[in-house]
Structure formats: C-alpha cells, structure tokens
Amino acid sequence: MHATLLSVLNSLQQVIFEVTNCDTGEVQRIAGNSQWAFDLFPLLHQQDTIFIDDHTPFLQDFLIDAQQVWQGNRNNTLKSGFWTEVTDNQKELHLEATAIRHNDKNILLITSLAEEFKSKQNTLQSARELLLSNDRLIEQNEYLHSRLLTILKKPEQQGDILIALTKAIENAGFSVIITDSSLQTLIENSSTYSLFEQRRQALEHDEKPIDIIFNLMKSQLPEFDRIMNTKSGWDGELCWISPPSTLKWLKIALYPVKTELNEVNNWIIFTNDVTNIKHLVQKNEQLALQDMLTELPNRFSFWQKLERQTNEHKPFYLLYLDINNFRSHNEYYGHDDGDKLLIELSERITATLNNNDYLARIGGDEFAIILSDIDNQHDCKKRLDKIFACTYKPFISTKGEPYSISVSVGAANYPKDANSVEELMKFVDLSAYSGKDKNNKNSIQFYSQSLQDASLHIIELEKELRDAIKHHQFELYLQPIVNLEQNSIYKAEALIRWNHPEKGLISPIQFIPEAEKSELINAIGHWVIKSACELVKQLNKHGYNIKISINLSPSQVIEENLFSFIHNCIKEYNIEPDLLEFEVTEGVLVNDYAIAEKLLSKIRAIGMSVSVDDFGTGYSSLAYLKRLPLDFVKIDQSFVKDIVVDDNDKAIVRAVIAMAHNLNLGVTAEGVETEEQLKFLKNNACNSVQGFLYSRPINFESFLKLIKEFY
C-alpha cells in the first residue's frame, strides 16, 4: 500500500509534510520523493526533518497564515495560491501549498504545478496569437471599409456597382454584408454563407444572416436604439446560439454609409467568428475576466460586477469615460502609442479611485467606472475632478513627444435614474454620447429625463433640417462691412436664416449647433457656398463688385473635397474668386492646423481671401497668425462693446490693430453700434467695421437698397 501511495503522490507531483512545530517552521516529510522537492529543499537528501525559513520566503509567510488552520479545533484547509520559486541550482518551480488540519494532525501538502503552468502559458500564447490575428483582421476591415465607401459614395466612377462590390468583398476572410437603408441585403460574400452555415438557395426559407445579426444586437445591446437613431457605427462581440445548439461568438463591425443629408444609403456589416478565442479564454480565468492590454476587468467582468452592485441596493454612480479624438491620436502617433496611452490612463485613473470603486475597460477607448456609496451629483463631481486632474499632466509618446488629452464622461445614478442594469447601461450610454465634447475639453454629462427629451428633439430637428435643405427653406442674409477710409460697402458677411413653414424665421444660433452634431453641417455649408456665389453673380449684374464673406465650420475645414466643391461653384457661376472670402475661427486654426493651412493656402492661391473670425475669444496664438495664409483679423464684438469706457478693452483693440498691421493683415471690428465706438476705431487705424450702426443682417433686396444709399 505504501508503494502504491508513493507512486500516486509522485505522479501527482506532490510531497506531504507533517508540521511538528508551527512557531519554528519545523516539518517532517512523511511521503513523496519527487525530484523538485530535493531541488527546493536540498537537506532532504540527508534527513526528513527540515525547517521552512527565509530560504523559501513565500512558503514561510504562508506558514504564518496557516497557523489559524493548524491551531483550530476542527478539520479545515487553506490553499496558498500559485507561486514561483527559483532554486539554488536556478530551476524555476511553479508550486501550490495546502495547509490541512485533520484529526489533530497538521499537514502541509506541496504540489508542483509545472504541467498546469505550461498549459496555461500555452493557452495564453495561443490566445495572444489569436488576438494578434484578430488585430490583423481589424486592419483588413479598415482597408475594406475604406474601399467599399469609395465604391458606394462614388458609384458613377465604378461602372456596375454590384460587380465592383462583389470583386471587393468576395476574397475577404470574414463575412461581409451590404444592405440598403432598410437593412435589406444587397450583396453578401461566400464567407457569410460559411459562417452562418447556409446555402444561397436556402436563404429564402431560413433566417437571413442580417436578421440574425440585428436580432442579436437588439437583445444584447442596451445602446441599440441610440445606434440606430443616431445612425452611428458600432463594433463589439455578440453571442449566437446557432441551430440546433452550437454556441458561437461573433465580432461585428457595423458601418453606416451616409448621404450629404446625413441619411443612410447603405449599411456595411463585417462579422468575424471569434469562438476559438473565447474557448481559449474560458480555459483561463484571468483571460476570461481581464482585458489583455490594460489588465483591468473587461466588459464581461464589468457586467457581472454591475449585476452584483445593483443586487446590494446601495446607491452608486455609473460612469462611461472615453478619450476625445482617440482615433486621430492613433492615426498620428500609431497604434502602439495608442496602446501605451490606454495603459497609462488606466493606471492614472486607478490611482484616483477608492478601494470599493471599480474600473473596467469595456471597449477600444471606453472605460466604465462604478463610484460606490455616492447618491448625489455634488459628491460625484468632486470625485470626477480627481479623475479629470489625472489627465492634465502631459503624456509622453514613444518618441519622447509630450501631448495632452481630454475625456468625456457620461454619468447615471442607481437607483435614482434607473434600477435595472439594462436601463442604467442605456442611460449612461446616452449621457456619454450626448456629452461628447468636440472642443477637446474634459466634460461630464449627467443623465436626466430632459436629456432623453433633448435627444428625441435632436432627432426631430435633424429631420426638419433635412426637409429644409430639400425644400429650399434657407435664405442668406447679408450684413455690410464698411471700409472706413473710403466710407463704402466693399464686403458683406453672409448669414444663414431658416424660413420654417410653421415656426417662421429661425436664427442660426438655434439650429447650427444641432446641424454640427447631426453631420448635416456640410450639406448646409455647401448650400451657403453655392448661394453666396449666386449672390455675387447677382451683385455683378447690378454693377457691384462686392466681396461676400462666408463662415466655415470646423467640420467643413476638415471636409476632404471642400476645395474642389468651392472651385466648381466658382466655375459654375462664372465669378471672380477674389469676390469670395472665407472666415474661420481661432479654434479651427489651432485644433486642425495642418489641414487648415493646406485648405487656406489653396483658397488664397486662386485669389480668395481668408479672415480670422471672433479674434481674441479662442486660443489666440501669434504663431498661428504669422504662419497661416491669412488676410484679415476680425476683432470680436465683446472687445468693441465697451471700448469707449473700458481702458482694458481700449488697450486690447489698439494692440490687435497694431499687431495685425505689423503682420500685413487688415482689421475688421465687429459689433459696432455707436458713433463713439466708430470714432475710436477710426482714430486707431482700424480698416473696416461691421455692426448695427450701419445695418443689421438683411435680405438681398434690402441690401441692394442699402448699397444705393451709400453710393
């Protein structure tokens, strides 16, 4: 029996000791003679009684914890957990110890887990290789996405569009589906049939792949309604139990293809089978619950934690945090630097949290945070200030370049805002999306019913704006800009107005911000440019060569084909380019310097002029004024308003005029309303003015009458 027991212990890589003195660490080997034990305890070659000392510090510490078992009055066990020892002969041992109290005997069982460790390492390596393979698939997704957008957005250049799409997708190693706006499949590749185990001829009778995907999204995504209502892209993983009972994990990327009016023409859906990765993950608890990059809890672990948290029925705040312009960061610095940023940011955020708080990485640049035991916005904001503060210190790229980031946070409270996990997730997603800051500043948006109402209002307003474009409800008003030296109207700023059929005349302040959010601003911007060209032509017919100044939004400045559109409009209306001017804000010049510089250089190269609008209210940098191709600076009306009585405003306006003239730039003062303001500006060599003293923005017919009064 002793020989059989010894054989079993050796095959299990176990050695059993009886603890003869808990205080001194004295133990006596009673069974097991595996080689690793002699490597760990060399004295076992001469004797069975040895002392656990600082030669094996981890095991020595475990003996202290184990005393609560050995000194107890009942049978019990305690495991040490996995640890690694390096022996005197430099062998690496992977071990686990178990303290056992049984029938008044104190036992120490030590097990070598070499095979388990090797298996786990192989699992980890296989998972990493699969994840790297998955990353390569994502790169293929991005390339194919760009190619398909080119075909779908410029069909006139592609010949037969279905043939072009088929050629583009057929050899992809993953499922590709292209649908129309109502999610009816137009084309799908062979990999789609393989993935969903269907034949082309059977699709009429079976549930179609696109139906399977969207049914999964509806049932598994709290943000599904928001994605569809806002026509947003999405990527993530969904679990599909395919008939009769096969479980598959699908990694899905959903892309809308939009028209200029922000209407969806097509949907592109990429689907990869990542079941193998999931199976490997399930073999390793760390992989199953942990994000591989940041080592934070992952989305799956976060869902489990959120379920437990709500079951405790204690108030807490759920936060969604993401990095503003993370995609641009990746494009500029590279994906390795993007990974480095995610790791460092996760470490910084962790350092700001309390022990009972919870941080998880739930998406590409998205983090979820549970702030425990907080039931009011005031306390939540105080905690958020610490999180925001950790972003202020510059990050350093792999090339040693410092850079700054900002984050946007959505917040919802349990149980005030929602008392179920699904609603809480849905509401915090809406808050994060609504609060996304486009000015690269840290921002927080708390959920409220008014936020949900505003979201519905935006959807309705977008529909009305689209109708306004289609049915020509917009009109350009003109505000004259007067040359002070010649006392003549030599320029006019074009300002859009919306003639709503029910609400009457609507100011741009009420709809331009929403047009920016809904991506309709480019379509509206195109209308403004064409209309301005038409007004220039009409003025020419009346014998006036008056320049029209047009505001460019930040979205237009980064629009890929804007210059081509402008150039085509000039040719279509047969006008001189020098009768057009474009106004950009300081923020655009700073945030998108390289793109702005390229666009403005092209504009000036064909004779148009460029003006900096609202100067002094943004990031005011003389370096940008010196380097960018500019012609005019417009002093913001906030500085003009009190120049007669405020010495500070006087000094600022004088300094701006002097600086602009030194840089060979003209100066226009906005918001001039009184003769006293006008006199000050004339005395200080301001070139031109604009404001109610001369005229409010007026329609074209009224503008013609005003010109005749001047001449």
Side-chain angles (χ1 to χ4, degrees):
M1 176 64 92
H2 179 75
T4 302
L5 177 61
L6 185 62
S7 176
V8 170
L9 286 173
N10 288 339
S11 66
L12 294 175
Q13 294 291 298
Q14 293 179 332
V15 177
I16 301 174
F17 296 91
E18 182 177 355
V19 181
T20 52
N21 191 320
C22 295
D23 296 326
T24 63
E26 184 182 57
V27 298
Q28 182 178 8
R29 179 169 63 109
I30 56 176
N33 57 11
S34 294
Q35 180 57 45
W36 64 263
F38 296 101
D39 292 327
L40 184 62
F41 306 115
L43 287 177
L44 285 178
H45 287 290
Q46 290 89 37
Q47 59 197 50
D48 286 330
T49 300
I50 59 172
F51 288 89
I52 307 294
D53 54 23
D54 55 11
H55 177 72
T56 54
F58 186 94
L59 190 56
Q60 186 181 37
D61 288 343
F62 176 64
L63 293 192
I64 297 172
D65 295 334
Q67 286 186 22
Q68 62 181 321
V69 173
W70 290 326
Q71 293 175 358
N73 297 321
R74 58 188 181 86
N75 294 342
N76 204 353
T77 62
L78 176 70
K79 287 184 177 291
S80 68
F82 182 86
W83 93 94
T84 300
E85 291 280 4
V86 179
T87 66
D88 291 340
N89 55 1
Q90 299 304 304
K91 286 187 177 180
E92 198 174 81
L93 303 177
H94 308 290
L95 308 168
E96 182 179 60
T98 305
I100 303 170
R101 173 74 171 176
H102 187 72
N103 294 342
D104 297 328
K105 292 284 187 181
N106 293 332
I107 304 297
L108 176 66
L109 172 68
I110 304 178
T111 306
S112 171
L113 300 175
E115 289 303 316
E116 288 85 345
F117 177 79
K118 184 177 178 181
S119 174
K120 284 188 176 184
Q121 288 301 101
N122 288 339
T123 300
L124 284 167
Q125 184 58 33
S126 297
R128 289 190 179 101
E129 288 173 1
L130 274 171
L131 288 169
L132 287 172
S133 173
N134 192 53
D135 287 343
R136 287 190 287 273
L137 272 176
I138 291 171
E139 290 177 7
Q140 293 175 33
N141 282 359
E142 291 174 352
Y143 168 77
L144 186 55
H145 176 219
S146 299
R147 174 70 183 128
L148 294 177
L149 281 181
T150 301
I151 296 172
L152 289 165
K153 288 196 170 185
K154 298 180 180 178
E156 69 281 357
Q157 300 176 14
Q158 307 296 330
D160 189 320
I161 189 169
L162 288 180
I163 293 175
L165 290 171
T166 301
K167 287 181 179 178
I169 71 174
E170 190 52 40
N171 294 322
F174 46 86
S175 164
V176 182
I177 303 172
I178 301 172
T179 78
D180 62 16
S181 58
S182 59
L183 299 175
Q184 297 300 307
T185 300
L186 296 175
I187 189 170
E188 50 201 348
N189 64 353
S190 298
S191 295
T192 302
Y193 307 117
S194 300
L195 174 58
F196 292 96
E197 299 172 347
Q198 292 174 311
R199 300 182 305 280
R200 292 176 193 260
Q201 59 267 33
L203 288 181
E204 292 183 6
H205 309 290
D206 297 337
E207 188 179 21
K208 293 180 173 60
I210 190 65
D211 298 327
I212 294 171
I213 291 169
F214 274 89
N215 286 335
L216 291 176
M217 290 181 69
K218 287 176 187 176
S219 63
Q220 297 181 32
L221 293 182
E223 59 266 45
F224 178 77
D225 289 341
R226 192 265 298 167
I227 291 167
M228 302 310 294
N229 286 336
T230 59
K231 300 177 279 290
S232 304
W234 179 83
D235 66 87
E237 295 174 359
L238 301 174
C239 180
W240 174 46
I241 300 178
S242 63
S245 59
T246 305
L247 185 147
K248 286 187 178 182
W249 282 93
L250 307 178
K251 185 173 182 62
I252 294 170
L254 175 74
Y255 306 100
V257 182
K258 301 179 186 178
T259 67
E260 191 180 55
L261 296 181
N262 201 38
E263 294 176 301
V264 174
N265 258 357
N266 304 94
W267 292 94
I268 301 171
I269 304 98
F270 296 155
T271 309
N272 296 309
D273 185 347
V274 292
T275 308
N276 287 341
I277 295 177
K278 287 294 182 181
H279 284 170
L280 280 168
V281 163
Q282 289 164 5
K283 293 180 182 178
N284 186 292
E285 185 178 356
Q286 180 185 12
L287 278 173
L289 300 175
Q290 190 178 67
D291 174 56
M292 292 289 288
L293 178 67
T294 62
E295 298 185 358
L296 291 173
N298 60 16
R299 187 182 182 96
F300 178 71
S301 181
F302 164 71
W303 270 89
Q304 290 184 337
K305 171 65 176 177
L306 196 58
E307 290 276 6
R308 294 195 300 271
Q309 194 84 10
T310 54
N311 288 337
E312 291 178 6
H313 303 296
K314 294 180 181 178
F316 65 88
Y317 264 93
L318 173 61
L319 311 180
Y320 263 17
L321 177 150
D322 69 359
I323 303 169
N324 294 327
N325 295 321
F326 182 71
R327 184 172 182 176
S328 299
H329 175 93
N330 270 355
E331 289 172 355
Y332 183 80
Y333 289 102
H335 288 277
D336 287 344
D337 252 311
D339 289 348
K340 181 174 180 290
L341 168 58
L342 292 170
I343 293 168
E344 186 171 348
L345 179 61
S346 68
E347 291 171 349
R348 291 189 188 186
I349 294 174
T350 300
T352 71
L353 300 179
N354 295 339
N355 291 335
N356 57 345
D357 295 332
Y358 187 85
L359 172 65
R361 183 185 177 209
I362 58 171
D365 67 326
E366 296 174 339
F367 297 86
I369 304 169
I370 296 174
L371 298 179
S372 299
D373 303 321
I374 295 180
D375 62 358
N376 63 82
Q377 289 188 11
H378 179 264
D379 289 345
C380 184
K381 284 179 180 177
K382 286 172 65 177
R383 298 288 303 281
L384 269 168
D385 286 342
K386 293 182 180 180
I387 295 174
F388 287 152
C390 82
T391 68
Y392 297 149
K393 179 183 175 184
F395 293 81
I396 307 298
S397 73
T398 52
K399 294 181 180 179
E401 300 174 6
Y403 62 88
S404 299
I405 68 161
S406 66
V407 297
S408 295
V409 178
N413 176 264
Y414 173 89
K416 179 182 175 183
D417 295 326
N419 53 24
S420 72
V421 170
E422 290 74 16
E423 279 201 324
L424 199 60
M425 292 279 284
K426 186 175 180 178
F427 292 166
V428 79
D429 173 75
L430 173 63
S431 302
Y433 179 81
S434 302
K436 187 74 174 172
D437 191 270
K438 295 189 177 182
N439 296 315
N440 294 328
K441 296 178 182 178
N442 287 332
S443 65
I444 170 67
Q445 176 67 63
F446 288 94
Y447 172 78
S448 65
Q449 182 59 46
S450 61
L451 183 68
Q452 186 144 344
D453 295 341
S455 177
L456 295 174
H457 170 71
I458 290 171
I459 294 169
E460 181 60 30
L461 181 59
E462 179 185 341
K463 179 181 177 299
E464 291 185 353
L465 281 171
R466 198 178 298 117
D467 289 341
I469 297 170
K470 291 177 180 178
H471 300 125
H472 310 292
Q473 295 172 6
F474 291 122
E475 182 179 356
L476 276 190
Y477 275 39
L478 298 174
Q479 185 172 34
I481 300 174
V482 177
N483 183 306
L484 292 180
E485 184 178 347
Q486 300 173 358
N487 192 34
S488 63
I489 298 174
Y490 80 120
K491 194 178 351 182
E493 181 177 356
L495 298 163
I496 191 171
R497 297 292 185 267
W498 181 5
N499 291 310
H500 194 284
E502 298 172 4
K503 302 173 185 175
L505 203 64
I506 300 178
S507 164
I509 296 172
Q510 295 175 261
F511 66 86
I512 289 297
E514 303 308 333
E516 287 269 11
K517 291 179 183 177
S518 67
E519 302 177 25
L520 281 172
I521 193 64
N522 289 350
I524 294 173
H526 285 186
W527 179 88
V528 169
I529 292 168
K530 288 194 74 168
S531 299
C533 290
E534 185 177 358
L535 291 184
V536 167
K537 186 165 186 172
Q538 291 296 322
L539 286 168
N540 288 167
K541 286 181 179 179
H542 285 83
Y544 304 117
N545 286 329
I546 293 176
K547 186 187 298 254
I548 301 293
S549 185
I550 305 164
N551 292 284
L552 288 182
S553 74
S555 297
Q556 285 180 280
V557 171
I558 62 175
E559 185 186 344
E560 186 177 356
N561 299 313
L562 180 65
F563 178 74
S564 297
F565 179 83
I566 294 169
H567 199 244
N568 289 336
C569 285
I570 290 170
K571 289 193 291 184
E572 179 185 346
Y573 288 96
N574 193 26
I575 61 174
E576 293 298 323
D578 63 3
L579 292 176
L580 288 179
E581 179 172 292
F582 288 94
E583 298 186 17
V584 292
T585 61
E586 291 175 76
V588 170
L589 302 182
V590 174
N591 295 336
D592 301 296
Y593 170 77
I595 298 172
E597 194 274 337
K598 187 176 180 180
L599 172 66
L600 301 185
S601 294
K602 287 181 179 180
I603 283 173
R604 292 182 83 241
I606 63 172
M608 292 179 281
S609 57
V610 177
S611 176
V612 181
D613 195 17
D614 301 333
F615 185 77
T617 61
Y619 297 88
S620 306
S621 171
L622 298 181
Y624 286 104
L625 287 183
K626 183 175 71 173
R627 290 158 53 193
L628 281 164
L630 303 172
D631 299 285
F632 296 93
V633 169
K634 297 185 78 172
I635 302 175
D636 186 69
Q637 59 185 349
S638 62
F639 299 109
V640 174
K641 181 181 178 182
D642 295 323
I643 53 172
V644 177
V645 295
D646 191 310
D647 289 339
N648 289 330
D649 284 343
K650 288 179 182 179
I652 290 170
V653 170
R654 287 192 183 108
V656 171
I657 293 171
M659 174 201 67
H661 287 168
N662 285 332
L663 293 171
N664 296 316
L665 301 175
V667 180
T668 300
E670 298 180 289
V672 178
E673 298 182 355
T674 68
E675 291 290 345
E676 290 80 5
Q677 293 169 340
L678 179 63
K679 183 179 178 181
F680 176 87
L681 293 165
K682 281 182 177 179
N683 291 340
N684 286 278
C686 184
N687 302 101
S688 54
V689 296
Q690 171 182 356
F692 291 175
L693 180 64
Y694 288 99
S695 174
R696 294 174 179 272
I698 50 180
N699 63 28
F700 183 71
E701 289 75 18
S702 299
F703 184 72
L704 281 176
K705 292 178 183 177
L706 184 65
I707 296 173
K708 290 174 182 177
E709 292 174 9
F710 260 82
Y711 293 94

